[in-house]
Amino acid sequence: MFAYFIRRVLQMIPSLLGISLIVFLLLRLSGDPVRLMLPEDASLEQVQSLRTALGLDQPLLVQYGKFLTQMVTGDFGESIRYTNQSVLQIVIERLPATLELSVAALFVAILISLPIGILAAIKRNSLADRLASTLAVLGRAMPSFWVGILLIMVFATQFQWLPVSGREGWTSIVLPAITLGISLAALLMRLLRSNLIEVLGLDYIRTARAKGLSPRTVVRRHALRNALLSYLTVLGLEMASLLGGAVVTEQVFAWPGVGLLAVQAINSRDMAVVQAVVIIASVIVMVTNLMVDMAYALVDPRIRYT
């Protein structure tokens, strides 16, 4: 297990190099960064001065090498929008809010998908199953920004049960977490239902039933473990979608996280912040996938990592 963990950590290095190269090139292909940062009536001397100050007058290979060296030491440069502040410090300050929102959305997704997915599989083709399928289709079809606005109108404006926006107190996270987690819950619900129906038709499940085990024990002890493997895989892969969806959700609810920071950085042409946000988000996604792989062994003891 430990050797597998170390091997997976080492495999992250080329992935991070590839991501850093793509981000570096894309930001420079989007236009001259100096022209984007300065006003349109800036003089040639101002343009040249800023280009030299940022090291953008050097060859691309040299710029990338310098960017990599600084990235390894955690130095992503200084922000243009937030004067004299380290980019890493700015992103780290916003990161807890995004992680808090993502974890809350995961919790919402699991809380909805697990019981409804199991119920739909056990009560296949019943009214409960059809209702669950309808909810799953709705959950996947509704855009998150529309869900967010709808929730604000109903629960914040009409009934005034929850705050409209911001991050003050535990009640402020309820609506953003539901907005972000509802689509993932729909996907996981359908996946769990399909997997569980397939597993419940296997021979070893029939054997367990023939031994006289109760339906609840058969599902909990024998069927659910196998059905949860792909559930965990999708859960880990969808972490990237949660971080991406957080950009929209944080905008709707003015949630002070990394997603809102990224949008503000793009609007203010703050390249250093955009680079840092993408790199740090990539690391989080890779670490999450590694944790999901490790969790396989806990769910199914037959899995061994060498």
Side-chain angles (χ1 to χ4, degrees):
M1 176 75 85
F2 182 71
Y4 175 79
F5 175 78
I6 295 297
R7 195 163 60 248
R8 285 291 305 274
V9 171
L10 293 176
Q11 287 172 354
M12 290 181 187
I13 296 173
S15 300
L16 268 179
L17 285 175
I19 292 167
S20 67
L21 180 61
I22 292 170
V23 173
F24 178 83
L25 291 177
L26 282 179
L27 284 175
R28 277 148 186 82
L29 287 174
S30 62
D32 184 354
V34 176
R35 288 288 184 187
L36 292 173
M37 293 174 192
L38 291 174
E40 291 181 2
D41 57 350
S43 65
L44 285 175
E45 288 77 15
Q46 288 176 308
V47 172
Q48 188 56 39
S49 174
L50 182 57
R51 183 170 286 130
T52 305
L54 297 175
L56 298 175
D57 56 341
Q58 297 175 337
L60 272 181
L61 195 60
V62 175
Q63 291 180 42
Y64 180 62
K66 187 179 177 183
F67 169 67
L68 272 185
T69 308
Q70 292 177 333
M71 187 183 80
V72 170
T73 58
D75 180 10
F76 289 92
E78 291 188 356
S79 166
I80 297 171
R81 188 166 184 267
Y82 302 91
T83 312
N84 298 325
Q85 283 196 46
S86 161
V87 167
L88 184 62
Q89 181 189 348
I90 296 168
V91 176
I92 287 177
E93 283 175 359
R94 299 290 193 97
L95 198 55
T98 296
L99 291 179
E100 184 182 307
L101 177 58
S102 300
V103 171
L106 269 180
F107 180 73
V108 168
I110 293 171
L111 197 65
I112 295 173
S113 63
L114 262 183
I116 299 181
I118 293 172
L119 180 67
I122 295 173
K123 306 288 185 184
R124 188 182 179 186
N125 295 328
S126 67
L127 179 62
D129 184 23
R130 292 191 180 92
L131 187 60
S133 299
T134 305
L135 290 175
V137 171
L138 272 176
R140 293 298 289 175
M142 292 187 296
S144 59
F145 73 90
W146 184 79
V147 174
I149 293 170
L150 190 67
L151 291 175
I152 288 174
M153 290 174 64
V154 175
F155 295 102
T157 306
Q158 183 68 29
F159 296 113
Q160 299 184 350
W161 289 345
L162 297 165
V164 175
S165 61
R167 187 187 175 216
E168 294 179 4
W170 66 271
T171 52
S172 61
I173 200 172
V174 175
L175 295 184
I178 294 173
T179 302
L180 190 57
I182 199 164
S183 177
L184 178 58
L187 174 67
L188 293 174
M189 188 198 310
R190 294 296 298 166
L191 181 71
L192 182 59
R193 175 192 177 275
S194 303
N195 290 343
L196 202 52
I197 287 174
E198 184 181 345
V199 172
L200 287 172
L202 296 179
D203 289 341
Y204 80 95
I205 295 294
R206 282 194 285 271
T207 304
R209 285 174 176 153
K211 288 180 178 177
L213 295 178
S214 67
R216 179 177 294 183
T217 305
V218 169
V219 171
R220 182 171 53 82
R221 189 177 299 172
H222 298 284
L224 197 55
R225 281 190 172 184
N226 283 333
L228 279 179
L229 290 178
S230 54
Y231 182 93
L232 285 175
T233 303
V234 173
L235 201 63
L237 293 175
E238 286 296 314
M239 189 65 191
S241 301
L242 281 183
L243 291 175
V247 174
V248 178
T249 307
E250 288 179 5
Q251 278 283 94
V252 172
F253 291 94
W255 187 262
V258 174
L260 186 60
L261 175 68
V263 173
Q264 292 169 342
I266 291 169
N267 290 334
S268 58
R269 304 161 182 170
D270 201 340
M271 288 173 48
V273 173
V274 177
Q275 286 176 335
V277 167
V278 174
I279 298 293
I280 292 174
S282 303
V283 172
I284 292 172
V285 170
M286 286 191 281
V287 170
T288 305
N289 288 337
L290 176 60
M291 289 170 63
V292 170
D293 285 348
M294 295 291 109
Y296 284 161
L298 299 176
V299 175
D300 190 346
R302 294 172 300 176
I303 295 177
R304 293 283 185 273
Y305 294 109
T306 56

